């Protein structure tokens, strides 16, 4: 998790308060909330929150927690994205902060779920279990996520940046079509 995540949530709360008091424009609020993975939906006043799942990993405990948070905060609908993230839908503005804090309680975050940031780093869905894989790429996706989350500049890029790790030449993670892609390969004698 990014070290300043609590501060980001506190600042978003301040900005939402200012927006509701007409002291902050809709554009200024959007500029701050989108890099936190919060998008306005087509129905005015409702938002989608995108939860990062590095390497596509989410424990049963956390999945149950996200499902419960989705029920308490919004419509209860969850959507799995092509970037291996979860989206919670139909969350009112007044419930965004409590939603983010509940996610943080189970070590989940939305930061980098949108905007010009390093997006969720994906990995082959069958990494660690595939008979065809060169090796399990999951630890590499998780380590790179940890390192980039610690860098303040990874949240303020000129454009979104997508990274993927595939465990075999079949490239089922789409590494070849990401901004930065890694395809596992064994070379030489591995004794």
């Amino acid at each position: 998790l990014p070290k300043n995540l609590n501060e980001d949530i506190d600042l978003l709360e301040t900005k939402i308060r200012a927006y509701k008091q007409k002291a902050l424009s809709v554009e200024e609020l959007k500029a701050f909330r989108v890099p936190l993975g919060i998008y306005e939906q087509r129905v005015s006043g409702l938002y989608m929150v995108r939860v990062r799942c590095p390497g596509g990993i989410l424990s049963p405990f956390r999945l149950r927690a996200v499902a419960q948070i989705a029920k308490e905060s919004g419509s209860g609908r969850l959507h799995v994205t092509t970037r291996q993230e979860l989206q919670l839908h139909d969350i009112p503005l007044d419930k965004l902060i409590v939603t983010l804090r509940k996610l943080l309680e189970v070590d989940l975050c939305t930061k980098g779920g949108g905007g010009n940031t390093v997006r969720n780093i994906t990995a082959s869905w069958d990494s660690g279990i595939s008979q065809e894989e060169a090796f399990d790429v999951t630890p590499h996706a998780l380590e790179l996520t940890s390192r980039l989350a610690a860098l303040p500049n990874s949240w303020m890029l000129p454009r979104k940046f997508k990274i993927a790790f595939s465990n075999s030449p079949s490239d089922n993670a789409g590494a070849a079509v990401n901004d930065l892609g890694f395809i596992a390969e064994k070379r030489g004698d591995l004794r």
Side-chain angles (χ1 to χ4, degrees):
L1 296 175
K3 290 181 182 177
N4 64 341
L5 192 53
N6 270 318
E7 292 85 10
D8 287 340
I9 294 171
D10 290 344
L11 185 54
L12 177 62
E13 185 173 31
T14 300
K15 288 182 181 290
I16 289 172
R17 197 174 308 117
Y19 169 73
K20 289 164 89 176
Q21 295 169 351
K22 308 252 189 274
L24 190 73
S25 72
V26 67
E27 292 83 14
E28 291 169 312
L29 179 61
K30 179 180 179 180
F32 190 79
R33 70 173 163 72
V34 169
L36 289 176
I38 302 167
Y39 285 86
E40 192 165 13
Q41 294 193 253
R42 290 188 177 136
V43 176
S44 181
L46 295 179
Y47 295 83
M48 177 275 294
V49 173
R50 190 175 291 146
V51 181
R52 292 175 61 116
C53 304
I57 297 172
L58 192 65
S59 71
F61 167 77
R62 287 192 178 107
L63 181 57
R64 281 190 295 276
V66 171
Q68 185 62 38
I69 293 166
K71 281 183 196 174
E72 293 169 1
S73 299
S75 66
R77 289 186 303 123
L78 292 177
H79 173 83
V80 179
T81 73
T82 57
R83 293 221 60 82
Q84 302 174 335
E85 297 167 304
L86 289 177
Q87 292 178 347
L88 291 72
H89 289 273
D90 305 318
I91 300 174
L93 184 65
D94 291 337
K95 291 191 176 182
L96 284 176
I97 298 303
V98 71
T99 300
L100 297 180
R101 291 205 168 119
K102 284 181 180 182
L103 289 168
L104 186 55
E105 286 174 12
V106 292
D107 294 328
L108 291 172
C109 88
T110 63
K111 188 171 183 176
N116 295 326
T117 63
V118 173
R119 296 294 185 89
N120 194 50
I121 297 175
T122 61
S124 293
W125 62 269
D126 59 351
S127 207
I129 59 170
S130 172
Q131 296 292 323
E132 288 81 40
E133 74 181 7
F135 54 86
D136 182 359
V137 296
T138 307
H140 303 281
L142 297 177
E143 180 63 24
L144 186 56
T145 296
S146 292
R147 288 178 184 253
L148 291 177
L151 300 174
N153 290 341
S154 71
W155 309 112
M156 302 174 287
L157 300 174
R159 187 73 180 111
K160 63 186 171 185
F161 196 76
K162 297 179 178 181
I163 303 170
F165 287 83
S166 284
N167 62 355
S168 71
S170 67
D171 191 15
N172 66 10
V177 295
N178 276 262
D179 297 306
L180 183 59
F182 301 93
I183 299 175
E185 181 180 302
K186 286 184 182 175
R187 293 186 180 175
D189 189 0
L190 298 174
R191 283 187 251 168

